[in-house]
Amino acid sequence: MSIVYRGHCALPLEEARARIAFARQARPEWFRGPLWLYDAKPLGLFDHEIALGFGIDARCTFLLSVFDKERMTCLEDAIDFLYQVFGTEGLVITWGLDKPRPPKASCPPMTINTMEGPVMADSPPARRRSPGLRFLLGLAAFIGTVVAVYVAVLLGYDAWAEATGFFDREGATAMGVAFTIAPMVSLLAGGIAAVLVFRRR
């Protein structure tokens, strides 16, 4: 089950986005892996009415999601930091659209003097598989492809012989397909499949 918090913000959309960019830069150890802070977006259908139910006249909304549950110990501190950045009068954070998460203490909006520095993208970084897992996936792809291609070559030869009426009196052609052509083609295809799977992130 994913853990997603929603920020209901009374600030203008552009100011909210600027403060989110500031929060990302100020606390990259929180918002660059364990958590992910999404850009503010205009209100959708019923978002304003929902925010009013939480006691705020919202003008935009944003999401905060837990990206790595094993390192989510910073979640509470990160939420309080967002309250400090936006000010408690201009922000209400809820768990989804259900349970409000109030601030620990009231505070005015933080004064932001600069927005310089890299701004993080709005989508979470892709998780890279470990080398061990990628090796096992590559091995599985190799074995599966070898078996599938070998069987396909044999069935293809059989279908061709039936369609053309080819009669292999001594079985030399069939043995050549079974023990030379099919293994070579299947090993080549398996190697390509393994490399593609291993290199893919």
Side-chain angles (χ1 to χ4, degrees):
M1 180 178 178
S2 62
I3 302 175
V4 178
Y5 285 81
R6 180 180 293 269
H8 310 270
C9 181
L11 301 178
L13 178 62
E14 293 305 318
E15 182 177 351
R17 288 177 172 173
R19 290 182 178 274
I20 286 175
F22 171 80
R24 289 169 175 164
Q25 296 171 30
R27 296 292 184 178
E29 69 276 15
W30 292 346
F31 302 121
R32 185 171 289 164
L35 311 175
W36 197 262
L37 182 59
Y38 292 81
D39 276 341
K41 299 184 181 300
L43 297 179
L45 187 64
F46 302 124
D47 282 348
H48 186 256
E49 289 77 6
I50 292 172
L52 288 176
F54 294 120
I56 187 168
D57 186 12
R59 302 171 68 178
C60 60
T61 183
F62 64 86
L63 297 178
L64 172 68
S65 64
V66 176
F67 190 61
D68 187 349
K69 294 182 180 180
E70 296 180 357
R71 296 190 294 147
M72 60 177 290
T73 54
C74 62
L75 177 61
E76 295 301 317
D77 290 335
I79 291 176
D80 283 318
F81 179 70
L82 290 176
Y83 274 120
Q84 296 171 20
V85 172
F86 283 83
T88 51
E89 294 297 322
L91 180 67
V92 170
I93 297 178
T94 61
W95 185 1
L97 294 175
D98 183 22
K99 184 180 179 181
R101 198 290 195 180
K104 293 181 180 179
S106 298
C107 60
M110 184 179 294
T111 301
I112 300 175
N113 296 323
T114 178
M115 294 294 175
E116 296 179 357
V119 178
M120 296 166 58
D122 191 32
S123 57
R127 296 194 181 196
R128 294 186 176 182
R129 298 189 179 102
S130 65
L133 177 59
R134 286 162 49 208
F135 173 78
L136 292 177
L137 291 174
L139 181 62
F142 175 79
I143 295 173
T145 303
V146 166
V147 173
V149 172
Y150 184 84
V151 173
V153 171
L154 293 183
L155 293 178
Y157 167 74
D158 186 61
W160 171 81
E162 287 290 335
T164 61
F166 177 75
F167 180 67
D168 187 12
R169 184 180 300 274
E170 298 179 354
T173 304
M175 287 190 294
V177 171
F179 297 110
T180 303
I181 297 177
M184 291 178 60
V185 173
S186 60
L187 288 174
L188 178 60
I192 294 174
V195 170
L196 291 177
V197 171
F198 183 82
R199 289 174 59 86
R200 184 176 181 180
R201 297 294 185 265

